[in-house]
Amino acid sequence: QEKIKILTQQDMKQVLFSIAVFCALFFNSNLSTLLGFQNNVTTVAFLPITLFLFSQIVKKQIFFFRKRNIHIMYILSISIIILLFKLLDGQNDMFKSILMFSLIPYIFAVYLENASEKEKSTLQKMLLALLITECLLALYERLNLTVLLATEETYSAMNRAGDSWSFRSSALFGHPLGNAMLVSVINIFILSSDLSANKKITYFLINLLALLCFNERGNIAITVVTSIPLLIQLFKKGSKQLKRTILLIGIPLFIGGIIQIAQSDFGGRLFNEQSGKHDNSTMARLEAFRAFDYLNNSELLIGGNHLNDKVAAKMHLAAVENGIISILLDYGIVLGIPLLWYLFLFQKEKLSVFPWWNKWLILLLFYGIGFTNPHLSNPMQWFIFICSYYAFRPKTKNRLYERKHVFRM
């Protein structure tokens, strides 16, 4: 009976973990709006994972004070200080964004350090399900030149040109730039994982197709550039049969597909010569570096969640096209810069389980895309990075990493 009770508790924990992860990944999207949650999207998405983490803290299943969590502790500490500053400054509406951006994701990261293999496997399956859903939605929308989950206003804003080559899918998360970054981050972790070569190549091609549907040139370019070394490594380590298949079938089909895409509307902004005439995105990204010119000293130091809109309006832009600057506008340079520094150190230290060149490819992709659009300031991007890291982290490398960081502070 005792054994049955323990198994039942473990099964219940697994079920709660699965529900928490599913809600956080899928419901923080337009899917929640479609289901009628409207203004309660964040609550529906993150309440289950918040309750799950709280229960694990109470049960002493989350171990904060270990050497491997040192950067997380700095992130949590700075985040609490930022939260207090915001509350004292009357910016009560920042509570939710701080909670989502730098508290819940990193408490979850502490939990995942000691999560069971079954839980990590569940997390991986959820991310792959999210990726496939994103890609299928994007492809359906592109083929039918319509959107399923975004509002008509959003659709009009993103596809105002009206030409099929300029269409941009909205998928689950509304904005094509946000969707594209999310797909690219999951993609590079898949290519860096222990998954089979066939699965890696299949997911890469599906991701590339989805990126064409999101129609974001910079994102496509950065994703391809950072993926090529991993694909070359995959080819070198592959079996003779895999190499033969790639050389005789894969490469000719890939080149043929690219030529076909380039000659059709599906090539979108990447290949269409008209895109340069109607696109001011490059200038908008350069203009983002002047964002701080529009702030007074108090706004510069402390930040505020209204500043992105204020600065964008003054620059006559839809948004500040730089994720790092967007974060500093939200949190100010006094605490925003230390927060960003420890977020980077956290990523750099965790990615040490990969070869050094692989680590820097992942960071190049994440920050390269983040520098070209404001969605780096979206908590979902950082949450996806954390989930992807723990879901696809190589198991063989983990043992070395665990031995190096096993003792407590």
Side-chain angles (χ1 to χ4, degrees), residues 54-161:
F54 180 76
S55 69
Q56 297 308 303
I57 292 173
V58 171
K59 293 177 181 179
K60 299 181 180 179
Q61 295 299 307
I62 294 182
F63 309 103
F64 290 101
F65 300 105
R66 288 187 173 178
K67 185 181 179 182
R68 72 183 75 169
N69 298 325
I70 183 66
H71 295 124
I72 293 179
M73 295 305 295
Y74 283 125
I75 292 168
L76 295 176
S77 300
I78 294 171
S79 300
I80 292 170
I81 294 170
I82 290 174
L83 181 60
L84 292 174
F85 263 92
K86 295 296 183 182
L87 294 176
L88 291 172
D89 194 50
Q91 299 183 41
N92 299 331
D93 52 353
M94 288 288 288
F95 176 80
K96 185 186 291 186
S97 61
I98 295 169
L99 192 68
M100 298 300 103
F101 184 82
S102 53
L103 289 176
I104 290 177
Y106 294 94
I107 296 174
F108 189 47
V110 176
Y111 176 78
L112 290 174
E113 279 293 337
N114 296 290
S116 67
E117 289 304 317
K118 190 174 182 180
E119 287 173 322
K120 290 176 184 176
S121 175
T122 298
L123 182 62
Q124 185 181 108
K125 290 173 184 175
M126 293 279 189
L127 281 170
L128 292 175
L130 178 72
L131 182 66
I132 292 169
T133 303
E134 275 275 276
C135 295
L136 289 177
L137 274 174
L139 183 59
Y140 177 88
E141 291 176 339
R142 178 63 185 79
L143 292 175
N144 292 280
L145 300 179
T146 188
V147 294
L148 293 177
L149 304 180
T151 64
E152 186 61 32
E153 292 80 8
T154 306
Y155 168 79
S156 300
M158 292 180 189
N159 300 288
R160 59 171 61 95

Side-chain angles (χ1 to χ4, degrees), residues 343-402:
L343 288 172
F344 173 75
L345 289 181
F346 162 79
Q347 292 174 310
K348 181 172 171 288
E349 188 263 329
K350 294 301 177 187
L351 292 174
S352 295
V353 299
F354 298 104
W356 68 269
W357 58 270
N358 197 160
K359 172 177 71 175
W360 288 106
L361 282 176
I362 295 172
L363 290 171
L364 175 61
L365 176 127
F366 188 76
Y367 287 100
I369 295 174
F371 266 100
T372 63
N373 74 74
H375 290 274
L376 188 67
S377 61
N378 186 330
M380 194 64 182
Q381 303 297 343
W382 298 84
F383 184 72
I384 289 294
F385 184 97
I386 289 170
C387 290
S388 299
Y389 166 73
Y390 287 102
F392 297 107
R393 184 168 68 177
K395 293 182 178 63
T396 51
K397 293 284 185 181
N398 278 352
R399 296 192 193 100
L400 298 173
Y401 180 82
E402 290 295 326

Side-chain angles (χ1 to χ4, degrees), residues 88-364:
L88 291 172
D89 194 50
Q91 299 183 41
N92 299 331
D93 52 353
M94 288 288 288
F95 176 80
K96 185 186 291 186
S97 61
I98 295 169
L99 192 68
M100 298 300 103
F101 184 82
S102 53
L103 289 176
I104 290 177
Y106 294 94
I107 296 174
F108 189 47
V110 176
Y111 176 78
L112 290 174
E113 279 293 337
N114 296 290
S116 67
E117 289 304 317
K118 190 174 182 180
E119 287 173 322
K120 290 176 184 176
S121 175
T122 298
L123 182 62
Q124 185 181 108
K125 290 173 184 175
M126 293 279 189
L127 281 170
L128 292 175
L130 178 72
L131 182 66
I132 292 169
T133 303
E134 275 275 276
C135 295
L136 289 177
L137 274 174
L139 183 59
Y140 177 88
E141 291 176 339
R142 178 63 185 79
L143 292 175
N144 292 280
L145 300 179
T146 188
V147 294
L148 293 177
L149 304 180
T151 64
E152 186 61 32
E153 292 80 8
T154 306
Y155 168 79
S156 300
M158 292 180 189
N159 300 288
R160 59 171 61 95
D163 301 310
S164 57
W165 67 265
S166 66
F167 182 86
R168 308 174 83 175
S169 299
S170 296
L172 279 173
F173 297 92
H175 201 291
L177 295 177
N179 281 293
M181 183 174 183
L182 182 148
V183 165
S184 295
V185 168
I186 298 175
N187 169 72
I188 199 163
F189 275 106
I190 289 175
L191 291 177
S192 306
S193 72
D194 286 335
L195 291 180
S196 68
N198 290 335
K199 287 182 178 179
K200 288 181 180 182
I201 293 170
T202 301
Y203 282 120
F204 171 73
L205 294 175
I206 292 172
N207 291 335
L208 198 57
L209 192 63
L211 290 178
L212 287 169
C213 295
F214 295 131
N215 214 351
E216 216 302 287
R217 290 173 304 186
N219 201 306
I220 295 171
I222 293 171
T223 300
V224 171
V225 167
T226 53
S227 296
I228 286 174
L230 291 165
L231 292 169
I232 292 173
Q233 183 78 357
L234 186 66
F235 179 80
K236 287 181 177 179
K237 290 184 175 180
S239 64
K240 290 183 179 179
Q241 182 180 356
L242 176 66
K243 291 177 180 178
R244 210 163 27 238
T245 303
I246 291 174
L247 290 172
L248 299 178
I249 301 175
I251 291 178
L253 282 177
F254 184 77
I255 293 173
I258 292 296
I259 293 172
Q260 184 63 33
I261 287 170
Q263 294 176 347
S264 69
D265 284 344
F266 204 84
R269 299 165 72 244
L270 188 64
F271 295 103
N272 197 293
E273 61 183 17
Q274 298 181 59
S275 63
K277 300 175 183 177
H278 302 286
D279 185 34
N280 296 316
S281 59
T282 302
M283 291 304 298
R285 281 156 187 160
L286 292 174
E287 183 70 14
F289 289 101
R290 297 182 58 243
F292 299 120
D293 294 344
Y294 300 96
L295 305 179
N296 59 44
N297 289 337
S298 176
E299 290 171 334
L300 181 65
L301 296 175
I302 300 176
N305 68 342
H306 66 287
L307 294 181
N308 271 285
D309 292 336
K310 172 186 172 180
V311 170
K314 286 184 177 292
M315 293 191 295
H316 306 290
L317 299 172
V320 177
E321 298 286 346
N322 187 305
I324 296 294
I325 291 175
S326 291
I327 292 171
L328 294 177
L329 289 173
D330 282 338
Y331 301 113
I333 63 170
V334 172
L335 293 172
I337 290 176
L339 177 62
L340 281 168
W341 175 243
Y342 282 108
L343 288 172
F344 173 75
L345 289 181
F346 162 79
Q347 292 174 310
K348 181 172 171 288
E349 188 263 329
K350 294 301 177 187
L351 292 174
S352 295
V353 299
F354 298 104
W356 68 269
W357 58 270
N358 197 160
K359 172 177 71 175
W360 288 106
L361 282 176
I362 295 172
L363 290 171
L364 175 61

